[in-house]
Amino acid sequence: MREGHFILLGATGDLALRKIFPALYVAFKDQLLAPRILATSRSRLSQAEFLQILDTKSKSHLKNLDLTLWESFTQHIEYVAMDLTQAQDFNALTARPLHPNTIIYFSIAPEFFATTCAHLAQVGLNAPQVKIVLEKPLGVDLHSARAIHKSIAQHYQENQIYRIDHYLGKQSVQNLLHLRASNALLQTLLHRDHVDHVQVSVCETLGVESRGGFYDPMGALRDMLQNHMLQMLTLLTMPLPSNLNASSIRQAKLSLLQSLKPLENKNLASQVIRAQYSADGALAGYRQEPHVNPNSQTETFVALKLEIDRPEWAGVPFYLRTGKRMGSSFVEVVVSFKGGAPLVFRIQPNPAISLNLHANTPLVLQSALESGMDAYQRLILDAFDSNQSAFNHQDELEAAWVWLDPILQAWQANQTPLYFYPAGSFGPQEAFELLEKEGRAWF
Ligand code: BG6
């Protein structure tokens, strides 16, 4: 049973109520965590009012809720209203002695990171035993990612900073690495001698819902590809480290990200397809969604082809696609071998791995995989354990931006077209042609 002090900034926000409190409750119920929780937000709420919000907004996200346990869980929570821009408000965080295992979770917009860090440091909450957990977006390009980091690094060391990519908390994503590390067969197969190409798909039927204000300045490339998708690709393709500790894993991921072949400007139009969903039947188009600019140029879909500049992957194309308002929801990594039969890592729903073999009669080996604990729960427990292996190092973020910035710049300058796809479809025709022109097809 872990003990510690959990300070949550942005406690009335959507992420906190939907993901973080439910994750803390389940960890508490399973006797993995007995934290003292200090919940803060700008809203001037009494303790009772806050607990009322928690009751209405968080409970519905929990399966098999035990009401008595929920009651005892909420007794560990104390609510404090705080304005992060006001230094004196931070004194409320030091009413009790500093716990040797203290986590401060930033579930707030990044524009508040710099002042918040400075104010935390003023009251001693950057002492070595304090860890900060940061939610994305940690920048919208290389320049802003560096600026955010600079303001944080004035007060916190890298080993105190836990950058969340919740895909890394999914057991099915971690399995990409663990299956490789423990199966010599996979180590042999995942090589240019055998692999024809690889596909990574993250398709969602959801539109932008109520998140238009957040999403419109972001788009699919920054929201999904820069982080979740490149991380999955990395776990599948990086050189296997000699051990699986945090620094070896992060170093291996970094070296892979640094070996992504830069996309040349002249190839961007044919290698990177951006598109936006348009209305279809009862489904609204992206530009009609609340808080979205009616002339928005933001992509809700992106498909691209990349290559990895490492000997074992030379010449192997990797196709990545992600989109909102697609025909169905699934996340899949497909390794297509020379000779055809693919290896499929189903990340969600229903995590599984399957391999089709040619025999007298075709043979399909399939194994359902444990979905394990919820991603947020796992990452919060890792943070309490000071285990950074499933969190990103700043250098990884920067390497991803270095590779992506030219795409963003070309789009900003309107050098490549924005295509449209009907809501509920699988993206624009051009995304299919990306593979078809090379004699391949999406799995
Ligand atoms: C988030 C994105 O990081 O991941 C969302 O901001 C997206 O736009 C979500 O819907 C998908 O996560 P999951 O776990 O539901 O696949």
Side-chain angles (χ1 to χ4, degrees):
M1 174 84 96
R2 300 160 184 84
E3 290 187 358
H5 188 176
F6 191 84
I7 300 175
L8 179 54
L9 311 177
T12 52
D14 185 57
L15 178 78
L17 295 168
R18 220 161 33 86
K19 296 282 188 189
I20 302 173
F21 282 111
L24 289 167
Y25 163 75
V26 176
F28 172 80
K29 172 176 78 80
D30 294 345
Q31 301 191 355
L32 299 169
L33 187 62
R36 191 168 83 79
I37 302 170
L38 198 84
T40 85
S41 85
R42 237 180 331 198
S43 317
R44 301 275 149 199
L45 300 169
S46 67
Q47 171 82 5
E49 285 165 335
F50 175 73
L51 290 181
Q52 184 60 45
I53 293 179
L54 196 61
D55 251 37
T56 36
K57 299 259 177 78
S58 281
K59 268 182 9 193
S60 56
H61 296 285
L62 287 161
K63 285 181 227 136
N64 314 323
L65 179 73
D66 177 328
L67 279 177
T68 322
L69 272 179
W70 174 261
E71 284 305 317
S72 58
F73 167 67
T74 59
Q75 282 163 16
H76 292 253
I77 304 174
E78 183 190 344
Y79 181 77
V80 181
M82 262 180 68
D83 181 340
L84 299 174
T85 63
Q86 301 301 313
Q88 73 274 9
D89 282 16
F90 284 72
N91 294 327
L93 301 180
T94 56
R96 298 205 198 174
L98 185 58
H99 192 284
N101 200 356
T102 294
I103 289 178
I104 307 178
Y105 197 113
F106 287 45
S107 185
I108 52 175
E111 60 256 36
F112 294 108
F113 283 8
T115 24
T116 301
C117 287
H119 289 154
L120 285 168
Q122 260 172 31
V123 296
L125 281 172
N126 64 337
Q129 65 265 52
V130 175
K131 295 169 264 190
I132 57 174
V133 178
L134 306 179
E135 271 292 342
K136 81 175 183 42
L138 293 168
V140 292
D141 55 17
L142 180 62
H143 178 77
S144 54
R146 281 192 175 145
I148 290 176
H149 179 64
K150 202 168 153 214
S151 64
I152 297 168
Q154 281 173 23
H155 308 288
Y156 294 92
Q157 305 290 322
E158 184 65 33
N159 68 4
Q160 296 176 280
I161 307 175
Y162 290 67
R163 297 177 193 81
I164 285 237
D165 178 325
H166 80 280
Y167 267 55
L168 291 179
K170 295 182 194 265
Q171 182 153 337
S172 53
V173 170
Q174 287 297 334
N175 269 333
L176 291 170
L177 173 61
H178 293 289
L179 286 167
R180 286 180 64 203
S182 40
N183 293 284
L185 173 70
L186 284 182
Q187 290 168 26
T188 312
L189 287 179
L190 293 174
H191 188 277
R192 64 177 298 239
D193 288 349
H194 308 291
V195 175
D196 175 74
H197 74 279
V198 175
Q199 304 182 7
V200 182
S201 297
V202 180
C203 300
E204 296 182 283
T205 51
L206 281 181
V208 286
E209 315 300 300
S210 55
R211 296 166 75 227
F214 160 81
Y215 193 87
D216 208 33
M218 295 286 287
L221 194 79
R222 292 176 168 128
D223 187 43
M224 300 296 286
L225 204 128
Q226 186 269 347
N227 35 66
H228 309 324
M229 298 188 72
L230 286 185
Q231 286 291 327
M232 286 192 284
L233 175 79
T234 301
L235 292 179
L236 182 81
T237 57
M238 68 190 200
L240 271 183
S242 54
N243 64 61
L244 294 186
N245 69 30
S247 80
S248 314
I249 291 178
R250 285 154 45 128
Q251 191 53 46
K253 287 199 292 170
L254 175 64
S255 81
L256 191 285
L257 289 166
Q258 287 171 334
S259 61
L260 297 179
K261 228 185 217 173
L263 290 165
E264 286 182 56
N265 230 30
K266 64 176 175 23
N267 297 334
L268 280 182
S270 61
Q271 253 177 267
V272 186
I273 308 297
R274 60 169 168 158
Q276 190 184 79
Y277 61 85
S278 50
D280 195 69
L283 295 174
Y286 176 69
R287 290 178 180 174
Q288 285 96 54
E289 302 279 17
H291 312 295
V292 168
N293 175 347
N295 299 313
S296 174
Q297 289 289 108
T298 299
E299 82 289 356
T300 59
F301 173 98
V302 54
L304 59 77
K305 173 186 160 182
L306 64 82
E307 284 180 56
I308 296 173
D309 205 355
R310 293 185 55 86
E312 66 274 28
W313 292 117
V316 177
F318 292 80
Y319 303 98
L320 276 53
R321 69 172 161 172
T322 184
K324 299 237 178 250
R325 274 279 184 261
M326 306 268 290
S328 61
S329 286
F330 64 91
V331 178
E332 230 165 45
V333 176
V334 178
V335 181
S336 177
F337 293 109
K338 297 178 173 165
L343 170 65
V344 181
F345 298 91
R346 160 80 56 146
I347 305 295
Q348 66 191 33
N350 311 323
I353 174 171
S354 64
L355 178 63
N356 299 4
L357 295 176
H358 291 310
N360 267 350
T361 50
L363 197 63
V364 181
L365 303 178
Q366 178 148 14
S367 171
L369 297 171
E370 281 274 322
S371 38
M373 11 171 119
D374 163 77
Y376 276 91
Q377 187 189 338
R378 162 170 182 186
L379 292 171
I380 289 169
L381 293 176
D382 279 357
F384 272 106
D385 295 341
S386 302
N387 176 0
Q388 287 186 306
S389 59
F391 294 87
N392 288 324
H393 193 284
Q394 174 67 15
D395 293 346
E396 293 176 62
L397 255 64
E398 293 191 12
W401 286 123
V402 165
W403 187 74
L404 287 168
D405 265 7
I407 305 179
L408 291 166
Q409 281 154 14
W411 287 356
Q412 247 144 31
N414 256 321
Q415 284 167 10
T416 73
L418 174 71
Y419 299 106
F420 292 88
Y421 62 102
S425 72
F426 278 95
Q429 186 51 33
E430 289 74 9
F432 291 92
E433 287 162 9
L434 179 70
L435 276 74
E436 280 161 14
K437 67 189 179 200
E438 299 180 346
R440 303 186 173 103
W442 289 107
F443 183 67

